[in-house]
Each structure stands twice: as C-alpha cells, then as structure tokens.
Amino acid sequence: MAQNKDIKFLTSPKIGIQKKKYCRFKKAGIKHVDYKDGDFLLKFINEQGKILPRRLTGNSLKFQRKVSTAVKRARHLSILPYVADLLK
Amino acid sequence: MLKQYETTVIVTPVLTDAELKQLISGYIDLLKNNGAEIVHEDFWGMRQLAYPIKKKTSGFYYAVEFKAENDVIDKLELAFRRDENILRFLSVKLDKFVAEFNDKKRNGLIGKKRKDSKSAETEKA
C-alpha cells in the first residue's frame, strides 16, 4: 500500500476550504475612512483603478459605502486616478 | 451653530514660496474675518497628480480644518472659483466621528496602529 509519504495530491487539499471573510473595519474598530491617505485606499481598488466589490473586499455594507465615497473624493482630488493601467 | 468643515485645495506648482504663503494666508484671513475658527492646518507640499489638471501634472496640496457658520463656505468657494491659481478644491462637513478620528490621527493614535501593522509586516518579511 502507498505509505502516507508517497501520496502526492495534484492540488493541495486546502484550496477548497473558503477563508472566513470579515469586515476589517469592524475588526480593527476603524470608524472613518479618510479620503486623504491614498495608500490605504489602494487596497480597495483594482489595477484599472476601479472600486472592488464587497464580495472581494469582504467589507460590511456600511463601510463599503464609506470606502466608495472616500475613493470618489480621492479621485476628485487626483490622489487616485479615475482610470489607470497597472496601478499597483 | 459652528459646524466643523475640512477643505482641501490644490494650488498650481508655478507659484514661488512667497506667493504661495501669501495666497494661503489670504484665504486664512478670509476665513477668520467671517468668524471661522481654524482647528488645524496641514500643508503636504508638492505632490504628483494622478491625472493632469489644467495641463499641470503636479501641485501643492493644502488641507485646513475649521469651525464655521454655513454661509462662510459659499464665500470661500466663490473666492476659490475666482482665483485661477487654485486648480481644485473640496470642502467636506465633518461629523463628530470624523473630527474625533482626525484628532486621534494627529495625536498619533491611529498612526501607531498602522506602524504596528508595518512592523508586523517587516517581522513577517
């Protein structure tokens, strides 16, 4: 019989397990998303500069709205670009 | 009733330091004459813009937090619109959460958390 060592999985068994998503704002207790610091907002937009949806960022609805207003204000003040390629 | 506002302004990079100081102090006096109380001023200096505004790719960023009546904002923004050195401005009303956040950030409470996360990352790296 193949011992445990010889069994080689094609894909690692951990891929299937879904990581429990949590809202980082509730966990860290952050109350307000500041539109002025761009590097924090970079986490919530993708390479083209679009705002990431909630299912990817895992934010709760209240903070996703705060993030989107902050990103829109940052775009107005050209801290973030409206359209970008390979932003990160 | 004095509400708390925060205005961020982008000034053209063409100005010399003297003109810049004079321009900014002009607006601060305008605020003070209308009975506003400056809570905090923040000068970020020259920064690259994410996209060119009025054919300029960099600008001086200036943010000021103040408590004022609501009609002061119209006067301030009217002056901004008239002045061609101002590329762009954005004034925002702050509720108590935001004001408290800004104060905490200034005292380094919020900053420290980020530093922790930075140090955490450096340990991991």
Side-chain angles (χ1 to χ4, degrees), chain A residues 28-37 39-40 66 73-82, chain B residues 6 8 10 44 47-51 53 61 63 88-90 92 97-98 101-102 105 113-114:
Chain A
I30 303 173
K31 275 275 186 303
H32 160 67
V33 185
D34 199 6
Y35 63 90
K36 292 196 289 296
D37 59 27
D39 49 5
F40 179 65
K66 286 190 178 183
R73 284 181 181 157
R75 284 176 178 161
H76 176 69
L77 281 177
S78 85
I79 296 166
L80 292 179
Y82 280 94
Chain B
E6 180 188 38
T8 315
I10 308 179
W44 300 357
R47 258 178 73 130
Q48 281 301 329
L49 299 180
Y51 50 86
I53 303 175
Y61 277 71
R88 194 156 286 189
F89 58 89
L90 174 77
V92 166
F97 279 129
V98 182
F101 169 86
N102 285 346
K105 190 169 177 194
K113 206 184 291 173
R114 210 166 286 137

Side-chain angles (χ1 to χ4, degrees), chain B residues 1-5 66-70 93-94:
Chain B
M1 213 275 286
L2 286 183
K3 291 198 180 77
Q4 184 145 8
Y5 295 95
F66 54 95
K67 286 195 170 73
E69 297 294 331
N70 41 27
K93 182 163 95 67
L94 303 182

Side-chain angles (χ1 to χ4, degrees), chain B:
Chain B
M1 213 275 286
L2 286 183
K3 291 198 180 77
Q4 184 145 8
Y5 295 95
E6 180 188 38
T7 308
T8 315
V9 170
I10 308 179
V11 185
T12 60
V14 176
L15 300 180
T16 63
D17 278 355
E19 279 161 0
L20 187 67
K21 289 274 178 305
Q22 191 253 338
L23 184 100
I24 287 176
S25 56
Y27 283 115
I28 299 294
D29 299 344
L30 182 130
L31 273 177
K32 285 210 173 84
N33 301 346
N34 294 345
E37 174 216 330
I38 311 283
V39 170
H40 173 71
E41 287 171 50
D42 198 357
F43 185 64
W44 300 357
M46 173 89 83
R47 258 178 73 130
Q48 281 301 329
L49 299 180
Y51 50 86
I53 303 175
K54 288 183 182 146
K55 307 290 184 296
K56 299 205 172 39
T57 56
S58 66
F60 288 107
Y61 277 71
Y62 186 79
V64 57
E65 269 182 62
F66 54 95
K67 286 195 170 73
E69 297 294 331
N70 41 27
D71 58 353
V72 178
I73 294 294
D74 308 337
K75 294 194 186 81
L76 188 70
E77 296 209 332
L78 191 64
F80 281 152
R81 285 200 183 86
R82 287 213 179 103
D83 187 341
E84 80 279 355
N85 290 334
I86 305 279
L87 292 184
R88 194 156 286 189
F89 58 89
L90 174 77
S91 45
V92 166
K93 182 163 95 67
L94 303 182
D95 53 7
K96 60 180 176 20
F97 279 129
V98 182
E100 179 204 330
F101 169 86
N102 285 346
D103 298 342
K104 260 200 280 184
K105 190 169 177 194
R106 233 170 286 121
N107 309 339
L109 286 182
I110 305 277
K112 206 185 298 156
K113 206 184 291 173
R114 210 166 286 137
K115 260 190 224 96
D116 292 357
S117 62
K118 265 209 192 72
S119 56
E121 270 142 28
T122 45
E123 272 141 30
K124 245 178 277 162

Side-chain angles (χ1 to χ4, degrees), chain A residues 21-50:
Chain A
K21 279 224 167 68
Y22 60 90
C23 173
R24 61 169 65 205
F25 294 97
K26 276 200 199 121
K27 202 180 248 279
I30 303 173
K31 275 275 186 303
H32 160 67
V33 185
D34 199 6
Y35 63 90
K36 292 196 289 296
D37 59 27
D39 49 5
F40 179 65
L41 293 179
L42 275 182
K43 296 194 183 82
F44 299 103
I45 59 176
N46 65 5
E47 281 75 29
Q48 281 89 26
K50 294 178 180 176

